[in-house]
Amino acid sequence: ETGVTQTPRHLVMGMTNKKSLKCEQHLGHNAMYWYKQSAKKPLELMFVYNFKEQTENNSVPSRFSPECPNSSHLFLHLHTLQPEDSALYLCASSQDPQGGSPLHFGNGTRLTVT
Amino acid sequence: QQQVKQSPQSLIVQKGGISIINCAYENTAFDYFPWYQQFPGKGPALLIAIRPDVSEKKEGRFTISFNKSAKQFSLHIMDSQPGDSATYFCAARRNYGGATNKLIFGTGTLLAVQP
């Protein structure tokens, strides 16, 4: 079982669809993150949760809605997305959101919006 | 001020050669500088990290050189191997004193090590 598991690995959705990305971490970490990775761009931090409380929303459009029911699970609910939202969405966790503890990433969900 | 500039965008090195990737920053409040390695189809993974109180850190074939006055840091991969072929991201952390750990990433360098 890998440390951070993301499902699905690939997702194709139309602009009017509603879908959700799921992330689960088995590392006992307290902080979880959503990042967006686009070609030739830096990884963009989207949301941060610490002890299942959202501590960061990096000016993300409301068509992305995160949910963190507990410290081990993180969801990203998607609705009425745009083609420019096509990217690799990475979930990560760390022991805490403050210190130098490393981020542990999942393998991502490759999202294509048609 | 929040950017981390990474170069080159891509790099081809012969097996056994030295791979060098450079990063520069402007915000002197950054206090932690990790490098992440990402293989195709995988998420990034922490490779090595340095804090600004040291000028160099070495782990096996991987070395970070840090120049605080120039606000630059670089990753050196000695004796590069085909298995090192991956995308490398530098990053810098701005610690807001108890608030969220904000890592600012570079744009990545695609390294190809030819056999």
Side-chain angles (χ1 to χ4, degrees):
Chain A
E1 183 89 57
T2 56
V4 179
T5 303
Q6 289 186 246
T7 54
R9 289 300 309 275
H10 301 273
L11 179 62
V12 179
M13 59 186 289
M15 289 191 285
T16 58
N17 291 158
K18 289 186 180 181
K19 296 286 184 184
S20 296
L21 310 185
K22 180 183 176 182
C23 176
E24 183 175 1
Q25 59 100 356
H26 308 275
L27 300 168
H29 289 165
N30 299 314
M32 296 189 77
Y33 309 76
W34 280 116
Y35 278 87
K36 177 182 179 181
Q37 185 175 28
S38 305
K40 297 190 171 79
K41 285 187 168 183
L43 273 75
E44 298 175 50
L45 177 64
M46 300 175 71
F47 301 103
V48 182
Y49 279 82
N50 183 30
F51 289 101
K52 75 179 183 179
E53 297 297 323
Q54 187 179 129
T55 59
E56 182 82 14
N57 177 338
N58 204 23
S59 303
V60 180
S62 60
R63 56 185 184 269
F64 294 91
S65 175
E67 178 189 359
C68 188
N70 54 62
S71 294
S72 298
H73 294 86
L74 186 64
F75 296 89
L76 188 62
H77 304 299
L78 316 171
H79 64 97
T80 59
L81 294 191
Q82 304 298 312
E84 59 264 30
D85 296 323
S86 299
L88 181 68
Y89 288 85
L90 291 163
C91 172
S93 69
S94 66
Q95 183 60 43
D96 65 72
Q98 302 164 14
S101 55
L103 293 172
H104 292 254
F105 286 90
N107 291 331
T109 295
R110 173 68 63 185
L111 174 66
T112 303
V113 181
T114 61
Chain B
Q1 272 255 322
Q2 291 286 54
Q3 281 188 322
V4 177
K5 295 182 180 179
Q6 184 172 348
S7 63
Q9 187 174 312
S10 62
L11 180 62
I12 299 174
V13 173
Q14 296 297 313
K15 179 182 175 183
I18 302 173
S19 304
I20 302 174
I21 305 170
N22 300 299
C23 284
Y25 64 97
E26 294 186 1
N27 192 333
T28 56
F30 289 145
D31 67 349
Y32 171 68
F33 302 87
W35 285 88
Y36 281 79
Q37 179 188 54
Q38 184 177 26
F39 293 106
K42 303 290 186 182
L46 179 66
L47 183 64
I48 187 172
I50 197 168
R51 295 186 187 272
D53 52 345
V54 297
S55 60
E56 186 175 282
K57 183 172 181 181
K58 184 175 180 180
E59 290 184 3
R61 296 184 294 107
F62 300 90
T63 300
I64 300 179
S65 296
F66 187 82
N67 186 330
K68 190 172 182 178
S69 61
K71 290 183 279 188
Q72 295 175 347
F73 59 110
S74 59
L75 176 69
H76 295 238
I77 306 174
M78 311 300 288
D79 187 26
S80 299
Q81 299 297 312
D84 297 330
S85 298
T87 300
Y88 293 81
F89 294 93
C90 64
R93 185 191 70 172
R94 172 64 167 96
N95 191 337
Y96 288 89
T100 305
N101 179 357
K102 282 183 182 274
L103 268 185
I104 310 297
F105 284 87
T107 50
T109 296
L110 179 61
L111 171 66
V113 181
Q114 294 185 334

